[in-house]
Amino acid sequence: MAAQPAVLAALVLLTAVLGLVWRSRQGRVRTVRRNGDVDWAAHGVTLGERATFVQLSARVCAPCRATARALADVAGGADGVVHHELDVEEHLGLTRELAVLTTPTVLVLDPAGAESARSSGAMTVAQARRALDAVDAVARA
Amino acid sequence: MTHEHATPPTSARPAPPGIDPRGPRVGAGLTAVLLAVVVLLGATTAGLVLLAVVSAGFLLGAVRGAQGTVQGWLFRALVRPRLGPAADLEDPRPPRFAQVVGLVVTGVGVALGLAGVLVAVPWAAGIAFVAAALNAVVGLCLGCELYLLGLRLRPASGAARAR
């Protein structure tokens, strides 16, 4: 049968398209505006004076580790910025409430606890700084 | 290296010793090549036998972690000596979970093949090929992406019944 090489070629093409789309979306910062109706203190999150990174992670998620390091790095180098990592298994209700579908998902909160930006997938230090800029821009507006 | 910030779930559970993150990706590449051969063999007994071999490898990985597979051994024996040291070590649990996902997908193919539904063999191999190739080439762990969706579905259906 000559169909099998064609099937394999189609699978390779599908893999390439999926891979490129997925990679281009990693850590991309989306500016959002959601009201701060989440009781963050109840989830153990203390808000930073400038911004708060809330990272939703899972045990089976390898990019969560690298993202946590990048965010801890940025939070450590900026005044009033804090980073919290929550396990989705322990905060399932929160993931539903916030429509989180994948890990890591990072919410960037303004000083009042309202979500100002969001990013899914492995996040770099540069992307985290850009997310901070987004929060500052919202705060000035 | 662990990160010392806040009180993340990573530090709440003692993490097992880290592994070289390039190992599972090289292993996924080797697995993808084997699965590509299964796709080329199609709905044949030879395809079923090779898929069973790949599936047995996933069983090893599911029990011992990705570093405990034949592919993991090949990486340590042949590839790593030619590379520099890893910049960073990785938690072995995510790659091990990926092995479980691979075991389920290829295991269904083998079971259906043994039951006489040979056409399931190239299908299972094709699905597993895409997942393994994505893991090897861009580092995407498909099973890990689906993990949270699975978590969210389970208790949601339970809550729906309770209502």
Side-chain angles (χ1 to χ4, degrees):
Chain A
M1 269 197 285
Q4 279 125 15
V7 169
L8 184 58
L11 287 173
V12 169
L13 190 66
L14 174 69
T15 305
V17 170
L18 284 176
L20 286 173
V21 169
W22 177 78
R23 197 167 58 178
S24 74
R25 294 171 62 99
Q26 289 304 289
R28 199 165 61 190
V29 177
R30 314 187 294 279
T31 312
V32 295
R33 196 67 208 147
R34 214 154 293 179
N35 290 329
D37 48 8
V38 177
D39 183 3
W40 288 111
H43 296 282
V45 173
T46 49
L47 296 172
E49 285 165 25
R50 181 180 164 203
T52 305
F53 290 118
V54 176
Q55 177 185 347
L56 291 147
S57 295
R59 253 179 311 165
V60 299
C61 159
C64 290
R65 309 288 105 80
T67 301
R69 276 197 299 274
L71 293 179
D73 189 26
V74 170
D79 281 338
V81 179
V82 292
H83 168 228
H84 290 278
E85 194 177 2
L86 304 179
D87 190 315
V88 289
E89 283 177 62
E90 289 157 21
H91 299 86
L92 259 185
L94 188 64
T95 65
R96 276 202 209 98
E97 200 179 327
L98 297 166
V100 171
L101 295 175
T102 186
T103 54
T105 290
V106 177
L107 316 177
V108 193
L109 309 180
D110 72 6
E115 185 183 339
S116 301
R118 177 182 286 215
S119 158
S120 296
M123 206 175 185
T124 62
V125 167
Q127 285 169 326
R129 295 226 168 87
R130 225 170 295 146
L132 271 188
D133 293 341
V135 175
D136 291 343
V138 170
R140 277 194 301 270
Chain B
M1 264 186 289
T2 55
H3 67 106
E4 58 300 314
H5 195 78
T7 50
T10 22
S11 65
R13 295 183 190 82
I19 58 169
D20 189 330
R22 297 167 300 187
R25 282 183 69 172
V26 169
L30 294 172
T31 305
V33 171
L34 291 177
L35 289 165
V37 175
V38 177
V39 171
L40 288 177
L41 289 170
T44 61
T45 307
L48 174 59
V49 170
L50 186 54
L51 188 64
V53 169
V54 174
S55 197
F58 279 131
L59 180 61
L60 267 183
V63 173
R64 298 164 52 174
Q67 69 279 13
T69 59
V70 176
Q71 293 92 326
W73 176 80
L74 283 173
F75 170 75
R76 278 195 303 281
L78 301 176
V79 183
R80 194 164 60 188
R82 290 169 172 78
L83 301 173
D88 221 347
L89 293 182
E90 178 187 38
D91 192 317
R93 288 172 295 193
R96 188 173 153 196
F97 178 73
Q99 297 280 319
V100 174
V101 175
L103 175 63
V104 170
V105 173
T106 56
V108 167
V110 171
L112 286 173
L114 287 175
V117 193
L118 270 181
V119 74
V121 169
W123 272 99
I127 294 167
F129 167 80
V130 172
L134 280 173
N135 193 343
V137 178
V138 292
L140 162 60
C141 171
L142 212 52
C144 310
E145 297 280 322
L146 297 176
Y147 180 75
L148 176 57
L149 290 179
L151 269 187
R152 282 185 54 169
L153 283 176
R154 247 185 298 148
S157 52
R161 272 197 301 275
R163 241 177 254 133

